Amino acid sequence: MSTKHADRKPNDADAPVETLFEGRWLSMRRRGRWEYAERNNPGGAVIILAVTPEDKILFVQQYRVAVQQFTIEMPAGLVGDLADQHNESALLAAQRELEEETGYRCGNVTFVHEGPSSSGMSSEIIAYARAHDLVKVSEGGGDESESIIVHEVPRKEAGAWLLARANEGFSIDPKLFAGLWFIEHADLFG
């Protein structure tokens, strides 16, 4: 960051961190006057940009208790959330979550971009990963704690399909539209 912006940093930005609550997956912290959520897994989360050989984008549908709605999302998951995988990378988590949620295995996966999920509320960093060379190996649907429906939507129809689901009452994760942009501008990300 440029030094010309250093004087704009809040006075309490470097205050000691206080833990307000600590659960299995999330903790609530306070630093000065700022309260925020923090993931207890060290790796953050990953969103998988997955396009089938038939040029269909993979979306997943599931009920999210926090918002009390069925949501449409891209396949995603926590990095390093399994007991034996605390040092898991975002790319390995992407491969694992893609197969678990959608039933597709990918030949390889590449890093696209990362950033905060909600910088005013959470310290969580989300990575986007692009899955390549997809092969259907199972039905997907998530693990035993999930009930995921997989949607394969032609890429050219994806934006309109998402807006139609919103009109039906589904919660549409706005990060999907960033994901669609990343897919359409893949050449910018190597």
Side-chain angles (χ1 to χ4, degrees), residues 40-174:
N40 292 338
N41 65 304
V46 62
I47 296 173
I48 303 106
L49 309 171
V51 182
T52 70
E54 297 79 28
D55 203 33
K56 294 181 179 180
I57 297 177
L58 299 180
F59 295 112
V60 294
Q61 172 186 320
Q62 60 187 311
Y63 191 81
R64 293 296 196 173
V65 173
V67 295
Q68 293 287 291
Q69 283 186 284
F70 284 96
T71 66
I72 304 292
E73 306 166 2
M74 286 181 165
L78 298 177
V79 178
D81 63 326
L82 300 179
D84 60 342
Q85 296 180 356
H86 291 295
N87 294 322
E88 181 179 48
S89 72
L91 297 180
L92 285 176
Q95 291 175 310
R96 175 178 55 79
E97 291 286 351
L98 177 68
E99 187 171 338
E100 179 183 293
E101 291 189 2
T102 70
Y104 277 89
R105 185 173 293 151
C106 62
N108 65 49
V109 63
T110 55
F111 173 81
V112 176
H113 183 72
E114 70 179 4
S117 62
S118 177
S119 61
M121 188 204 74
S122 174
S123 63
E124 178 181 57
I125 299 296
I126 293 181
Y128 283 86
R130 176 70 189 261
H132 304 275
D133 305 320
L134 274 61
V135 175
K136 184 80 169 169
V137 296
S138 73
E139 291 304 309
D143 64 23
E144 64 280 348
S145 70
E146 299 170 308
S147 182
I148 293 173
I149 297 170
V150 180
H151 297 282
E152 298 183 20
V153 180
R155 184 192 331 207
K156 290 181 180 180
E157 300 169 18
W161 184 86
L162 288 170
L163 294 175
R165 300 300 76 76
N167 288 334
E168 293 173 3
F170 285 90
S171 174
I172 306 299
D173 185 339

Side-chain angles (χ1 to χ4, degrees), residues 1-9:
M1 174 173 50
S2 170
T3 56
K4 72 177 185 175
H5 295 290
D7 63 334
R8 302 197 53 111
K9 187 175 174 181

Side-chain angles (χ1 to χ4, degrees), residues 173-185:
D173 185 339
K175 292 183 290 302
L176 290 177
F177 295 100
L180 293 177
W181 190 88
F182 288 140
I183 289 169
E184 294 305 319
H185 296 89

Side-chain angles (χ1 to χ4, degrees), residues 9-19 29-36:
K9 187 175 174 181
N11 293 337
D12 55 354
D14 295 321
V17 174
E18 176 186 356
T19 299
R29 310 270 194 229
R30 179 175 24 229
R31 184 183 290 262
R33 68 182 187 274
W34 307 94
E35 295 176 351
Y36 58 94

